[in-house]
Amino acid sequence: MAIRIAIIGFGKIARDQHVPAILADPRFELVAVASVERPPALEVPWFASTAELIEGMRGQLDAVAVCTPPQVRHAIACDAIAAGLAVILEKPPAGTLGEIDDLERKAQIARCGLYAAWHSQHAAAVQDARRLLEDATIASLNIAWFEDVRKWHPGQDWIWSVGGFGVFDPGINALSIATHILPEPLIVKEALLIEPENRQAPIAASLTFAGNASRAEFDWRHEEGECWTIHVDTEEGQTIVLEEGGARLSAGGVQLPLPERGEYNSIYSAFAEVVEKREVVVDREPLRIVADAFLVGSRVRAEPFE
Amino acid sequence: MAIRIAIIGFGKIARDQHVPAILADPRFELVAVASVERPPALEVPWFASTAELIEGMRGQLDAVAVCTPPQVRHAIACDAIAAGLAVILEKPPAGTLGEIDDLERKAQIARCGLYAAWHSQHAAAVQDARRLLEDATIASLNIAWFEDVRKWHPGQDWIWSVGGFGVFDPGINALSIATHILPEPLIVKEALLIEPENRQAPIAASLTFAGNASRAEFDWRHEEGECWTIHVDTEEGQTIVLEEGGARLSAGGVQLPLPERGEYNSIYSAFAEVVEKREVVVDREPLRIVADAFLVGSRVRAEPFE
């Protein structure tokens, strides 16, 4: 019997990624949507809030996918867990580390199944990169994550508000890959956070990590094309490069063949297992790095962003 | 045989607190000091760096107390752990959560004994307050931590620099008590960080916590006396108040008798056990709360601080 799932928060990521992945996977059945505004041409029941969804679908719902902005994910997930539902969370799983810890504790007690998904960890190159690096000693890591915020985040005001994390919203995708493929944890030593005068979130950031010549550069002011690249050099002389956000992989300059499955198909495959085994799968490391960067970050003011 | 200990970093907290506590405890013997400048009238060997201390005291040293500013504690503790020494860390134990995690891992592997001390957790009222609240449901927590930075931190430039955490340097003492006495973790919902125009650290901060009417107010601009108070109301109708930074305790308006042992005597008593049993005792919760506050904090500019 399929897992009856509802999507909560029906913005760009829900429509572009979650709906197609759910419809493509026979282990899931999309049975409802909850969102502030009623989406046009929706073929399943719609609810205006999580509370109304839980009440209206009682006995007809097994799981929810929380696709809202991060600031409200914790409250929604708490309600879903309290109702005995399995929960999959978009990234980042919550707005603070305390909220992540809290969801993890509550899900462990409820045994309802909780999956904090980091979609970039499901990119085609990531598993192979992780295998290539598992016994390596890292000489240097270089993350370059550049894109045009106007092109990639049109109308997403929440990314600029407090708790939206600004350029770390895409940057945390790179961090989720790096923490997953590297054999050692990343420790932030210095951070430069560049904030537009009229905003409370960085438009660019530069992190330096401990122990080796490792850096991450995030920039939203990149108007010509995108660069989502992670470059790793090992002490053993290996060079591993992930490009296009983890969709392409090369080792020693040679492009490697990769599986073709999409990130969100892989996510829902993993979530089906989490639901079946009632597991709690939570990786807080990417948000830990962002929190540490905010903690030790030097702030520099940049021109206003309109 | 006494634990032969050296102090690394010989500022105000080392001289005022660590030296008297070590001298008062027969389980310890102070055998050396490492500090950038040679302290006057020192009766034990002095070294200009951790490396020179470790080299110069080889075979004659069991433990180190790291009393430097937090930004360099991680590097010093790594060297000490690598040399097989037991380590006690002043608060906060390191500059980032990643550094704390790293020290915990390294100490667990080395089995050398690591104690991340939070001195306010050793204040006279804390154990009794914890016992009074262990089965309670918290209705509200109110932390008011006000002092004059000019009086309490004269010449301490590091508290204003990045990673010094500004008013959270004293504020984290309150958080270390609150996390220790409350039966549930504290989750930051909102934070207001007030930063002087010419500084990179807050001079005042206001935190709101999840789930109940709980707040913390930290302010360094308090020129008349001090206020270091934690007020807890429980759903069961209890009112617990810790005053003077945890030195006084009242329940329902009645002052309770407390033991007279000093915070640092209690700390070194706990550290003696950590050394003997080669334990790793690390509480990262107070710094987790500060990191979450920086992560979701709204920044407001205040007049320059000179």
Side-chain angles (χ1 to χ4, degrees):
Chain A
M1 207 159 75
I3 298 160
R4 297 165 300 180
I5 190 168
I7 294 177
I8 301 175
F10 209 66
K12 185 168 164 55
I13 199 78
R15 295 189 307 268
D16 292 358
Q17 302 290 350
H18 288 261
V19 169
I22 291 169
L23 296 180
D25 193 323
R27 288 167 292 184
F28 290 93
E29 182 190 357
L30 182 63
V31 296
V33 163
S35 55
V36 178
E37 287 176 33
R38 183 179 206 122
L42 189 71
E43 290 173 7
V44 295
W46 168 80
F47 298 90
S49 69
T50 305
E52 288 170 51
L53 169 74
I54 289 171
E55 180 58 31
M57 294 296 290
R58 201 171 290 279
Q60 305 166 63
L61 190 61
D62 305 306
V64 294
V66 184
C67 303
T68 63
Q71 294 94 330
V72 294
R73 277 182 203 143
H74 173 254
I76 290 170
C78 283
D79 288 346
I81 291 169
L85 301 172
V87 176
I88 177 169
L89 297 163
E90 249 302 333
K91 65 88 200 176
T96 64
L97 296 170
E99 288 182 349
I100 297 182
D101 293 346
D102 186 57
L103 292 179
E104 194 172 5
R105 275 189 303 268
K106 285 179 172 154
Q108 270 156 356
I109 293 166
R111 292 205 67 244
C112 57
L114 174 66
Y115 184 40
W118 296 96
H119 65 77
S120 291
Q121 291 183 350
H122 295 263
V126 173
Q127 285 314 314
D128 287 353
R130 183 180 162 108
R131 263 191 299 275
L132 288 168
L133 294 171
E134 68 189 347
D135 299 316
T137 304
I138 304 306
S140 71
L141 161 78
N142 274 286
I143 295 173
W145 222 252
F146 307 144
E147 64 185 36
D148 182 354
V149 63
R150 290 186 175 83
K151 174 176 173 187
W152 289 93
H153 304 274
Q156 293 182 342
D157 283 341
W158 63 267
I159 54 173
W160 285 113
S161 64
V162 159
F165 308 138
V167 76
F168 285 96
D169 179 70
I172 206 168
N173 295 337
L175 296 173
S176 75
I177 294 176
T179 54
H180 199 65
I181 66 176
L182 296 182
E184 294 277 339
L186 282 171
I187 298 173
V188 178
K189 277 296 169 190
E190 289 177 18
L192 192 70
L193 310 177
I194 298 168
E195 283 186 4
E197 272 172 35
N198 59 340
R199 303 285 176 166
Q200 282 272 359
I203 194 164
S206 169
L207 311 190
T208 308
F209 299 107
N212 44 45
S214 293
R215 303 180 57 79
E217 301 284 345
F218 307 129
D219 206 322
W220 254 349
R221 300 165 301 185
H222 196 75
E223 291 178 14
E224 289 173 22
E226 295 72 39
C227 171
W228 296 310
T229 301
I230 298 174
H231 186 118
V232 185
D233 287 314
T234 73
E235 295 288 356
E236 296 80 11
Q238 231 182 352
T239 295
I240 306 289
V241 182
L242 292 87
E243 287 174 292
E244 297 175 16
R248 291 159 61 89
L249 178 65
S250 68
V254 179
Q255 207 72 28
L256 303 180
L258 292 173
E260 282 195 16
R261 190 162 68 156
E263 291 181 8
Y264 281 80
N265 300 112
S266 169
I267 284 178
Y268 275 92
S269 195
F271 184 47
E273 269 194 52
V274 165
V275 175
E276 194 197 334
K277 298 180 185 162
R278 295 171 173 272
E279 288 173 322
V280 176
V281 178
V282 174
D283 174 5
R284 69 210 291 285
E285 277 291 276
L287 191 61
R288 191 270 301 162
I289 293 173
V290 177
D292 279 345
F294 274 72
L295 194 58
V296 300
S298 298
R299 281 172 178 76
V300 178
R301 289 282 165 189
E303 58 186 38
F305 178 84
E306 308 299 346
Chain B
M1 209 160 75
I3 298 161
R4 297 166 298 180
I5 190 167
I7 294 177
I8 301 176
F10 209 66
K12 184 168 165 54
I13 199 77
R15 294 189 308 266
D16 291 357
Q17 301 292 349
H18 288 261
V19 169
I22 291 169
L23 295 181
D25 193 324
R27 287 167 293 186
F28 290 93
E29 182 190 356
L30 181 64
V31 296
V33 163
S35 57
V36 178
E37 287 175 33
R38 181 179 209 124
L42 190 71
E43 290 173 8
V44 295
W46 168 80
F47 299 90
S49 70
T50 305
E52 288 169 50
L53 169 74
I54 289 171
E55 180 58 32
M57 295 296 290
R58 201 170 290 280
Q60 304 166 64
L61 189 62
D62 306 306
V64 295
V66 184
C67 303
T68 63
Q71 294 95 330
V72 294
R73 279 183 202 142
H74 172 254
I76 289 169
C78 284
D79 289 346
I81 291 169
L85 301 171
V87 176
I88 179 170
L89 297 163
E90 248 304 332
K91 64 89 201 178
T96 65
L97 296 169
E99 288 182 349
I100 296 182
D101 293 347
D102 187 57
L103 292 180
E104 194 171 4
R105 277 189 301 269
K106 285 179 173 154
Q108 270 157 356
I109 294 166
R111 295 205 65 245
C112 56
L114 173 67
Y115 184 40
W118 296 95
H119 65 79
S120 291
Q121 292 183 348
H122 295 263
V126 172
Q127 285 315 312
D128 287 353
R130 183 181 164 109
R131 263 191 299 275
L132 289 168
L133 294 171
E134 70 189 344
D135 299 316
T137 304
I138 304 305
S140 72
L141 163 77
N142 274 286
I143 295 172
W145 221 252
F146 307 145
E147 64 184 36
D148 181 354
V149 62
R150 289 186 175 85
K151 173 176 174 187
W152 290 92
H153 304 276
Q156 293 182 342
D157 282 342
W158 63 267
I159 55 173
W160 285 113
S161 65
V162 159
F165 308 138
V167 76
F168 285 96
D169 178 69
I172 206 167
N173 295 338
L175 296 172
S176 75
I177 293 176
T179 55
H180 199 66
I181 66 175
L182 296 181
E184 293 277 338
L186 281 173
I187 299 173
V188 178
K189 278 295 169 193
E190 288 177 18
L192 192 70
L193 310 177
I194 298 169
E195 283 185 4
E197 272 173 35
N198 60 339
R199 304 285 175 164
Q200 282 272 358
I203 195 164
S206 168
L207 311 190
T208 308
F209 299 106
N212 43 44
S214 294
R215 304 180 56 77
E217 301 285 345
F218 306 129
D219 206 321
W220 255 349
R221 300 166 300 185
H222 196 74
E223 290 178 14
E224 287 172 26
E226 294 72 40
C227 170
W228 296 311
T229 301
I230 299 175
H231 186 119
V232 185
D233 286 314
T234 74
E235 295 288 356
E236 295 81 10
Q238 227 182 356
T239 295
I240 305 290
V241 182
L242 293 85
E243 288 174 290
E244 297 176 18
R248 290 159 61 90
L249 176 65
S250 68
V254 178
Q255 207 71 26
L256 302 180
L258 293 173
E260 282 197 15
R261 191 162 67 155
E263 291 182 8
Y264 282 79
N265 300 111
S266 170
I267 284 178
Y268 275 92
S269 194
F271 185 46
E273 270 195 50
V274 165
V275 175
E276 193 198 334
K277 298 181 184 161
R278 295 170 173 274
E279 288 174 322
V280 176
V281 178
V282 174
D283 174 5
R284 71 210 286 286
E285 278 291 275
L287 192 61
R288 191 270 301 161
I289 294 174
V290 177
D292 279 345
F294 274 72
L295 194 57
V296 299
S298 298
R299 279 172 180 75
V300 177
R301 288 282 164 190
E303 58 186 39
F305 178 83
E306 308 299 347

